[in-house]
Amino acid sequence: MSLKIALMPGDGIGPEVTDEAVRILTNVAEHAGRSFTFSTHAIGGAAIDTAGRGLPERTLEAALNADAVLLGAVGHPKFDGQKTAERPEAALLALRQALGGFANLRPAVCYPPLARRTAFQPERVKGASVLIVRELLGGLYFGEPRGFEASGNTAFNTLIYSRHEIERVAKVGFERARERRKKVASIDKANVLETSRLWRAVVSDVAKGYPDVELEHVYVDTAAMRLATAPASFDVMLCDNLFGDILSDQAASIAGSLGLLPSATVGGKVDLYEPVHGSAPDIAGKGLANPIGAIASAAMLLRFSARMDKEAGDIDHAIEDALAAGARTRDLAGPGERVLSTREMGQAIEEALNEVRDRKHCYHGV
Ligand code: IPM
Ligand code: MN
């Protein structure tokens, strides 16, 4: 049976990086004897321009009928003056809400070949591997009421969480921790916010069902400092929507570039995969974007939506091998290093993937 993948390249660098993810998925399908069908749909600023709205009905329908959605990025500065609801970002939030995935998984690892390129001293970042589990459908992003008062001089948002919302994402955090180093740091601001006090209480309750997993509660400000000084001390970081948004960009400094980070949103009707980076309009269309975040998101898609663990692992290896061989997009290149285009980086990873597979064949043959 064919795996139906709905592609939503979106804005800015979204289309370029999505093309490279499709290159890798196509390669995997051929070699695994699986069939993937791709369909492409407009979202974000690109959809506002062509269809008059950020999330056209047809796009939403395609997403709901797919086995998985792979998104590029949304957002463009020309919409900066628009009302919140009319911005490209609103389309992504509406899509997330319609698909229903409440747990957004954002892994950040230190790739050894890049350790010297990170903001860290190499020994500090060595072995660092953090998984941010971000609550994606609640909190300040969606709380009502929200808006501007008539004067235009006062604006408000609502931070609201229910036990149910916290419980379901906490379970995902503990489940993932079980597959990793069995540590959960639950991030909150319980010294100030009621929602955080509830968060802490519910997470502690959920923890009772996971006695093999170690739980610590960490204030978000402390967590930011610790992420910058001792990133390897974290395993799973369980965060609300806003804290998770902020800390996941910060966690990108472990890897060395925001362009490297993938994400998967699970728990809803259809799982959604997207790189953590934005649309980067300043470099769009120039072949300067790093496709690794999108390619690693495709690997997560294979793992979670296609149960192709081996193939997903091969892609992760291929990314590391390509980096070890010196493949660098502009965001990763040091002085004097050759800079690859988005497509060349995709090709380098595809070649590395073929080699990973060949190597395995040899081992089996021996
Ligand atoms: C992200 C992005 C989005 C978010 C924006 C584009 C709505 O920053 O996926 O991290 O804030 O969730
Ligand atoms: Mn973000």
Side-chain angles (χ1 to χ4, degrees):
M1 215 178 58
S2 185
L3 188 80
K4 277 194 283 177
I5 302 175
L7 302 172
M8 316 216 160
D11 302 325
I13 60 171
E16 304 160 60
V17 298
T18 305
D19 278 351
E20 298 314 309
V22 170
R23 168 199 303 283
I24 300 297
L25 287 170
T26 306
N27 176 300
V28 165
E30 264 169 33
H31 286 86
R34 290 277 300 256
S35 143
F36 297 165
T37 43
F38 298 101
S39 56
T40 304
H41 311 274
I43 192 167
I48 296 177
D49 289 342
T50 56
R53 53 199 290 204
L55 182 61
E57 199 56 46
R58 270 193 295 165
T59 299
L60 179 56
E61 218 170 276
L64 287 166
N65 285 320
D67 295 312
V69 177
L70 183 63
L71 190 130
V74 298
H76 194 278
K78 76 178 181 194
F79 299 101
D80 280 354
Q82 305 296 77
K83 290 195 187 122
T84 315
E86 287 158 17
R87 294 175 55 109
E89 289 83 350
L92 175 57
L93 297 178
L95 177 69
R96 287 175 180 170
Q97 215 170 14
L99 295 180
F102 53 83
N104 180 222
L105 312 179
R106 299 186 157 189
V109 296
C110 169
Y111 290 106
L114 298 177
R116 275 184 312 123
R117 299 279 323 146
T118 68
F120 296 87
Q121 291 152 344
E123 63 278 8
R124 282 216 169 157
V125 79
K126 198 164 159 241
S129 167
V130 169
L131 176 68
I132 298 210
V133 177
R134 172 188 177 195
E135 197 292 322
L136 204 64
L137 293 185
L140 268 175
Y141 273 62
F142 293 97
E144 297 284 348
R146 62 186 294 162
F148 280 90
E149 284 188 353
S151 68
N153 293 325
T154 303
F156 50 95
N157 290 91
T158 300
L159 175 52
I160 180 164
Y161 267 111
S162 67
R163 174 172 288 272
H164 167 68
E165 287 173 310
I166 301 167
E167 214 167 61
R168 62 185 186 175
V169 72
K171 283 185 184 156
V172 173
F174 282 95
E175 293 292 337
R176 301 316 312 165
R178 268 195 174 153
E179 308 288 313
R180 300 169 48 96
R181 301 197 307 281
K182 298 190 169 53
K183 292 201 304 184
V184 170
S186 174
I187 311 303
D188 65 41
K189 188 72 187 170
N191 48 347
V192 176
L193 303 173
E194 283 77 5
T195 43
S196 280
R197 297 232 301 277
L198 179 67
W199 181 278
R200 209 172 251 230
V202 174
V203 172
S204 296
D205 283 349
V206 171
K208 289 180 192 141
Y210 299 85
D212 52 323
V213 178
E214 184 191 316
L215 167 67
E216 60 171 335
H217 299 282
V218 187
Y219 292 139
V220 61
D221 44 358
T222 311
M225 176 65 180
R226 218 172 99 186
L227 205 46
T229 51
S233 71
F234 286 115
D235 180 17
V236 169
M237 299 179 81
L238 177 62
C239 303
D240 82 354
N241 205 342
L242 184 66
F243 296 159
D245 178 48
I246 299 167
L247 290 181
S248 56
D249 273 33
Q250 196 191 331
S253 62
I254 295 172
S257 165
L258 193 52
L260 295 163
L261 262 58
S263 89
T265 302
V266 299
K269 295 185 201 119
V270 182
D271 293 340
L272 168 66
Y273 302 87
E274 45 179 324
V276 171
H277 64 69
S279 58
D282 51 323
I283 59 164
K286 298 185 179 157
L288 293 173
N290 185 343
I292 293 181
I295 291 172
S297 299
M300 293 185 93
L301 184 158
L302 293 178
R303 191 167 278 130
F304 295 121
S305 293
R307 309 237 162 268
M308 295 173 77
D309 270 20
K310 189 184 78 62
E311 287 77 4
D314 287 351
I315 294 175
D316 290 340
H317 274 142
I319 292 172
E320 235 187 281
D321 287 355
L323 291 172
R328 300 283 184 272
T329 37
R330 196 186 62 162
D331 54 322
L332 304 176
E337 279 183 314
R338 187 166 107 77
V339 174
L340 299 189
S341 69
T342 308
R343 178 173 306 154
E344 286 169 333
M345 178 60 106
Q347 287 166 339
I349 294 171
E350 185 175 22
E351 277 161 31
L353 179 60
N354 291 334
E355 277 168 29
V356 167
R357 239 187 250 117
D358 287 350
R359 261 203 315 269
K360 281 194 176 166
H361 257 278
C362 288
Y363 290 142
H364 288 304
V366 173

